[in-house]
Amino acid sequence: MNCILSVSENWGIGKDNKLLFHLPSDMAFFKAKTMGNVVVMGHSTLKSLPGSKPLPNRMNIVLSRHLDSAPEGTLLYHSMEELLPDLATGYDSDSVYIIGGESIYKQFLPYCHQAFITKVQKDVPADRFFPNLDNDPNWVLADSTEPITEKEITFTICTYENKNPLSI
């Protein structure tokens, strides 16, 4: 599995159920990585998508204890114990992308082989955070783009690799 997201300097990922940054190159990278693949999200992330609708041309999986039903075009699971076996048998793990939010990332991070993280060189207020992989001995920075500047914001797209991912 993989996770994909953008973070601020202090590893913030969101505020008031909204992304912290809207950078065209980052959005294009996200789309290119996830298109035709499986995206796993929580109900708040689903609600934050345009029209609260699933992302087109992807298998959208929602993990939520709070929803009784999910919109057309999504698969709903109520627990990790219910979802993990289906992910293990139904999909190639390289095609699964965890896309948020905070609690979903934290639950799935130990199972992820790679993390694609857009690191924005800006500190902004956040109420949701991602674990700092630079301080996690299980994760190593494998690749990083040269700095990119858009909308007066500089960022790099980094690939981290988990040295000891858990098996599903």
Side-chain angles (χ1 to χ4, degrees):
M1 272 189 278
N2 310 286
C3 61
I4 188 167
L5 63 149
S6 64
V7 300
S8 64
E9 283 183 335
N10 66 347
W11 293 77
I13 60 172
K15 179 156 175 56
D16 300 327
N17 203 34
K18 293 184 175 72
L19 294 175
L20 298 178
F21 308 101
H22 295 278
L23 301 166
S25 293
D26 179 44
M27 296 293 186
F29 177 75
F30 175 89
K31 185 176 181 179
K33 281 288 188 190
T34 62
M35 188 64 67
N37 290 309
V38 179
V39 291
V40 178
M41 69 195 90
H43 73 274
S44 293
T45 298
L46 175 65
K47 288 192 303 188
S48 75
L49 297 176
S52 297
K53 295 186 178 185
L55 294 171
N57 302 312
R58 298 163 188 96
M59 170 61 67
N60 288 256
I61 295 176
V62 178
L63 177 61
S64 174
R65 291 184 201 102
H66 307 290
L67 294 178
D68 292 327
S69 64
E72 187 175 333
T74 63
L75 295 175
L76 176 62
Y77 289 84
H78 293 101
S79 70
M80 286 278 291
E81 295 78 24
E82 180 186 12
L83 176 54
L84 284 176
D86 285 358
L87 286 178
T89 59
Y91 308 99
D92 174 11
S93 66
D94 289 339
S95 72
V96 177
Y97 288 83
I98 310 305
I99 66 168
E102 180 184 53
S103 68
I104 301 298
Y105 283 129
K106 287 179 180 175
Q107 289 176 70
F108 281 93
L109 190 60
Y111 299 93
C112 290
H113 293 89
Q114 291 187 311
F116 299 100
I117 301 188
T118 299
K119 293 174 78 173
V120 179
Q121 296 172 11
K122 188 171 185 176
D123 195 11
V124 296
D127 57 16
R128 298 289 180 254
F129 295 88
F130 190 81
N132 182 337
L133 297 186
D134 291 326
N135 295 334
D136 187 326
N138 285 325
W139 288 88
V140 61
L141 178 63
D143 193 27
S144 180
T145 65
E146 291 295 319
I148 302 164
T149 302
E150 274 182 10
K151 297 183 175 183
E152 300 179 20
I153 296 174
T154 301
F155 59 95
T156 54
I157 299 174
C158 302
T159 303
Y160 287 83
E161 293 181 354
N162 187 345
K163 295 188 284 187
N164 297 304
L166 297 178
S167 296
I168 299 178

